[in-house]
Amino acid sequence: MMRRMLSMRDLKPQDLQGLSQEAATALVAQILGHVGQQARDLEVQQKLLQRKDRDIAFRDAKIEKITFELTRLKRWKFGAKSEAMSADQRQMFQDTLLEDEADLEAQLAALQAALPPKTPAAPKAPRQRARRQALPDHLRRVEHHHEPEDTSCTTADCGQPMTRVGEDISERLDIVPAEFFVHRHIYGKWSCRCCQRQGIERLVQEPADPQIIDGGIAASGLVAHTLISRFVDHLPYYRQEIINARSGVHTPRSTLARSSGNAGAAMVPLFEAHARFVLSCPVLHADETPVAMLDPGAGKTKKAFIWAYARGELDAQRGVIYEFCLGRGSQYPVAFLGAAQGPPGSMAEDRPAWQGTLVCDQYGGYDPVLDKRVYPHRIAAHCVAHARRKFDELIQTSEVAKEAIKRIGWIYHVEGQFDGMDAQQRLAARQQLTAPLWKEMHVWLKIERKRVPDGGSIANAIDYSLDAWTALTRHLEDGAVPIDNNHIERQIKPWAMGRKAWLFCGSELAGQRAAIVMSLVQSAKLNGHEPWAYLRDVLERLPSHPNSRIEELLPHRWQNPAT
C-alpha cells in the first residue's frame, strides 16, 4: 500500500483515505520534493531555450552581416575599375577582395550548416561555378587509392563479392618547399706503383670542372635561384637569408650578394650578344621608367632610369634589353642605338647603328634619335594607346572625349581580328578595314578642334593626336608595326614591381647588373622558358662555353636539356 502511495504517477484520490499521519506526512514531503524538482527542471529548460534563442538571434545577425559584407564586396569588386586607383593598387585591391570573399563565404557556410534543418523547399538549380583550369600534365602525380574495406554485397540474403566497375578521380594541388641539397664531387687520385718504386712520382687526377664562382659553395642552381628570387620575385637578399634559414641553411646576405655579382659579371658577354640580337630587328619598341639609386655622399637617393628596348610585338622572335642610365636625356638612347664603341675584342665592337621603325611615345628625348638629317633610315611610329589616354582623362567632362574613345575602340576591335596574320596580310586588312576609320576620325578631329577654345584640356588632347598624325598612323603603312607601345610597357612592369621591394639600387654598377639579369630572364619568359631552368643551365655552361658560340645560349635559341 505504501509503495502505491509513494508512486506519484499511480496515486489516486481514494488512495489518500485511511492514511496514517506518518504516511500522510511522508506523502506530502514526496509531493513537495516532486514539485520542487519539476520547478528546477522547468527553470533549466527555460534557460536552455533562452540561450538557444540568443544563439539563433546572434547567428541570424551574423549571417545578415556576412551576407551584407559579401554583397558590398561584390559591388566594390565590379566597381573598382572606375575608382581612382593605379594599376598596381587595383591589382592589390582585387587580390584582397578575393581573399575576403572566400573568407566570408566559408564563415557563411559554417553558420548555415549549424542551423536546424528547415522544411524542405523546392530544389534550386545548382549554382554554376567557374570551370577550374586543369592542373598541368607535367606535374608529378602522387596517387592515393581509396577502396571499401569490405567489397561484399550488403543486400540482405546476398553477400556475394562485388565487381569493380569504375572510379572517380579528383586532384588537389600540393607543394614541397624548396629543398637544399649538396653536390659532392669526389676526384679520385691514381698513382703508378711501378714508377714509384723507381723513384718517379706520377699522380693522375681529373681536373675540377670550371664553375661560375671559383671556390664558392653555391652551385649554379642556387645562384640561379638567388637571381630569380631577387629580380623576378623581387625578394631582397635579407629576406632570402631568412627564407633559407627556415630550411636550416645559413646563407648570409653578403654571400648571396657576392654570388649575384659574380654571376652578373659572367653574363656580360651573353648580354652584349643579346643586345646585338634585339637591335637587329626592323621594328623596335622603346620606353623608359625611373628607378631610385642610392647616393651615399648625399645620404639619400637620386633618380636614375631604365631604358627598355624590345623587338616588335609582331616579330616572330622575341627579346627585350634593358639599359641602366643615370638620366632621361636623349644622349642615352642615341648612344645605345648608335654604332657600339666597345673595347677591342668585345662582342659589341662591330655592332652597327640600329635602323628601322621606332615605336615610342611623343617624349622629346626621342627626337634626336629620329633626326632625319643624322639617321635617314629611322622612322617614328607613335603609340595610339598614349593618344587614347589623353581623351580617357577627360571622359567624365567632355562629350568629344567620349566620342574619341568610342572611335578608337572601334579601331582596336577591328585590329584584334588580325591576330595570326603575317605582315603582308595584316597590311592589306588594315588598308581595307581600319584605314577608312582613321581617315574619318582625322576629319572629325579637325572639325572638333575648330570648335574648342585654345589652351583647354580637350584642345591639348586633340592636338596630341593631330600634331603627330603621320607617326600615329604609321602602322597603316607597314604590317609589321604594332598599333601601340603596350608591349614594351608590359616589359617595364617588372621594374615597377621591383622598385617597391628593392626601394633603390645600391649603386650604378648594381643597376647595370640588374639590367643584365632582367634582360635575359625577361627574354626567356617571352620565349616561353621557365626562368630558373634557363638561368641555371646558362650559368652551368658559361664557364666552359666558347665565346664564338655564345649565341647558342641566347633566350630565343636556348633549348632546355631536360626536354
Side-chain angles (χ1 to χ4, degrees):
M1 180 68 176
M2 181 60 66
R3 189 180 295 120
R4 287 184 59 202
M5 285 191 301
L6 295 178
S7 177
M8 301 300 299
R9 180 175 298 177
D10 300 330
L11 189 63
K12 297 177 181 178
Q14 56 268 27
D15 293 334
L16 300 176
Q17 297 176 4
L19 286 177
S20 65
Q21 185 177 358
E22 182 182 351
T25 302
L27 181 60
V28 170
Q30 187 176 2
I31 292 173
L32 291 175
H34 183 71
V35 171
Q37 183 62 41
Q38 284 186 329
R40 288 191 294 273
D41 291 344
L42 187 61
E43 184 179 359
V44 170
Q45 290 180 1
Q46 189 70 24
K47 289 182 179 179
L48 288 175
L49 287 174
Q50 290 176 355
R51 181 182 300 174
K52 188 174 292 185
D53 288 342
R54 287 197 304 269
D55 290 345
I56 291 174
F58 174 76
R59 191 182 294 119
D60 289 343
K62 195 166 184 180
I63 289 175
E64 182 181 357
K65 179 181 178 182
I66 292 176
T67 304
F68 170 75
E69 292 289 344
L70 273 172
T71 304
R72 185 170 63 172
L73 278 177
K74 290 177 180 178
R75 184 170 67 248
W76 285 348
K77 178 179 179 180
F78 295 108
K81 290 186 178 180
S82 63
E83 300 292 335
M85 294 183 181
S86 67
D88 292 336
Q89 289 173 329
R90 188 177 301 120
Q91 183 61 54
M92 292 178 66
F93 182 67
Q94 293 284 352
D95 293 343
T96 303
L97 280 181
L98 291 173
E99 292 174 356
D100 291 350
E101 187 176 359
D103 189 340
L104 290 171
E105 286 179 345
Q107 292 184 47
L108 185 60
L111 288 170
Q112 290 174 338
L115 289 175
K118 297 182 179 179
T119 304
K124 294 182 179 180
R127 189 178 67 172
Q128 291 289 334
R129 288 182 173 270
R131 179 167 294 184
R132 183 183 299 160
Q133 184 176 0
L135 298 177
D137 292 335
H138 71 272
L139 296 180
R140 176 171 61 94
R141 258 65 176 178
V142 179
E143 294 189 351
H144 305 269
H145 293 272
H146 306 272
E147 303 291 351
E149 291 183 4
D150 185 3
T151 57
S152 298
C153 182
T154 57
T155 304
D157 303 328
C158 181
Q160 294 296 317
M162 303 180 76
T163 303
R164 197 175 192 272
V165 294
E167 60 187 15
D168 291 325
I169 298 176
S170 64
E171 293 190 330
R172 292 174 180 267
L173 188 63
D174 204 348
I175 185 174
V176 176
E179 176 194 5
F180 287 88
F181 64 97
V182 177
H183 290 286
R184 194 169 184 222
H185 297 272
I186 303 171
Y187 298 90
K189 296 181 179 181
W190 296 80
S191 175
C192 178
R193 297 300 187 188
C194 178
C195 294
Q196 194 174 30
R197 285 193 294 269
Q198 299 177 19
I200 302 174
E201 290 291 339
R202 181 169 179 80
L203 185 69
V204 176
Q205 188 177 29
E206 187 71 12
D209 293 332
Q211 300 294 321
I212 199 73
I213 303 174
D214 289 332
I217 65 169
S220 58
L222 178 57
V223 178
H225 176 73
T226 301
L227 293 173
I228 295 299
S229 299
R230 180 81 165 91
F231 298 110
V232 177
D233 301 328
H234 316 298
L235 289 174
Y237 294 128
Y238 78 91
R239 292 184 186 171
Q240 295 187 47
E241 179 183 356
I242 295 172
I243 293 171
N244 295 346
R246 291 204 297 263
S247 298
V249 178
H250 180 52
T251 53
R253 70 190 72 175
S254 58
T255 300
L256 299 176
R258 282 195 295 269
S259 298
S260 297
N262 288 329
M267 289 190 289
V268 168
L270 187 61
F271 172 79
E272 293 175 348
H274 183 60
R276 291 179 56 191
F277 161 70
V278 171
L279 297 183
S280 66
C281 63
V283 177
L284 188 70
H285 293 268
D287 202 359
E288 74 290 331
T289 189
V291 292
M293 185 183 75
L294 187 63
D295 186 2
K300 57 183 180 180
T301 61
K302 61 182 180 181
K303 186 180 289 188
F305 283 85
I306 290 293
W307 290 77
Y309 308 90
R311 293 177 68 94
E313 182 179 13
L314 304 175
D315 199 313
Q317 293 181 313
R318 298 297 184 92
V320 61
I321 197 83
Y322 303 110
E323 186 187 25
F324 182 85
C325 301
L326 297 179
R328 199 188 179 201
S330 60
Q331 68 269 27
Y332 298 107
V334 166
F336 190 80
L337 298 178
Q341 301 294 324
S346 75
M347 295 299 297
E349 181 181 19
D350 57 349
R351 192 179 76 195
W354 174 81
Q355 57 185 26
T357 302
L358 185 67
V359 185
C360 57
D361 55 31
Q362 296 184 35
Y363 168 53
Y366 293 109
D367 293 342
V369 178
L370 297 164
D371 190 339
K372 283 290 186 184
R373 296 167 299 178
V374 182
Y375 307 106
H377 300 294
R378 292 180 182 176
I379 305 173
H382 286 165
C383 175
V384 176
H386 276 76
R388 182 189 181 281
R389 288 170 198 161
K390 299 296 182 182
F391 293 108
D392 189 58
E393 295 170 355
L394 306 172
I395 197 170
Q396 300 296 333
T397 58
S398 171
E399 292 298 323
V400 175
K402 291 181 181 179
E403 178 65 22
I405 291 293
K406 185 186 297 183
R407 289 174 178 270
I408 296 174
W410 292 341
I411 293 172
Y412 266 96
H413 175 73
V414 177
E415 185 75 19
Q417 310 304 311
F418 305 154
D419 289 345
M421 296 184 178
D422 60 30
Q424 293 298 326
Q425 293 171 331
R426 188 179 297 105
L427 178 60
R430 284 172 172 171
Q431 289 293 331
Q432 180 180 359
L433 299 176
T434 58
L437 297 177
W438 280 107
K439 185 176 181 180
E440 182 181 339
M441 184 174 178
H442 193 206
V443 173
W444 174 77
L445 283 176
K446 286 183 175 180
I447 294 174
E448 293 298 330
R449 181 62 183 88
K450 294 177 180 178
R451 295 176 178 174
V452 298
D454 293 341
S457 299
I458 190 62
N460 293 335
I462 295 175
D463 290 342
Y464 186 88
S465 294
L466 291 180
D467 292 349
W469 193 258
T470 300
L472 200 64
T473 57
R474 185 72 64 193
H475 62 281
L476 297 177
E477 304 171 4
D478 186 349
V481 175
I483 191 173
D484 55 38
N485 208 24
N486 289 348
H487 177 60
I488 194 64
E489 291 187 1
R490 289 191 293 270
Q491 310 316 311
I492 279 183
K493 189 175 181 180
W495 288 94
M497 296 173 63
R499 64 180 171 229
K500 292 183 178 180
W502 309 333
L503 300 182
F504 53 81
C505 291
S507 65
E508 183 178 358
L509 183 60
Q512 294 169 354
R513 183 167 54 251
I516 291 173
V517 176
M518 291 192 68
S519 295
L520 297 172
V521 167
Q522 194 66 17
S523 296
K525 292 169 66 177
L526 281 175
N527 285 276
H529 303 314
E530 200 281 313
W532 178 84
Y534 168 74
L535 214 53
R536 179 197 174 280
D537 184 63
V538 166
L539 293 174
E540 184 81 23
R541 295 164 60 181
L542 264 178
S544 58
H545 198 83
N547 278 340
S548 59
R549 293 165 43 203
I550 197 74
E551 289 83 3
E552 296 174 1
L553 302 181
L554 293 179
H556 72 287
R557 292 187 57 184
W558 179 75
Q559 298 292 327
N560 190 343
T563 59

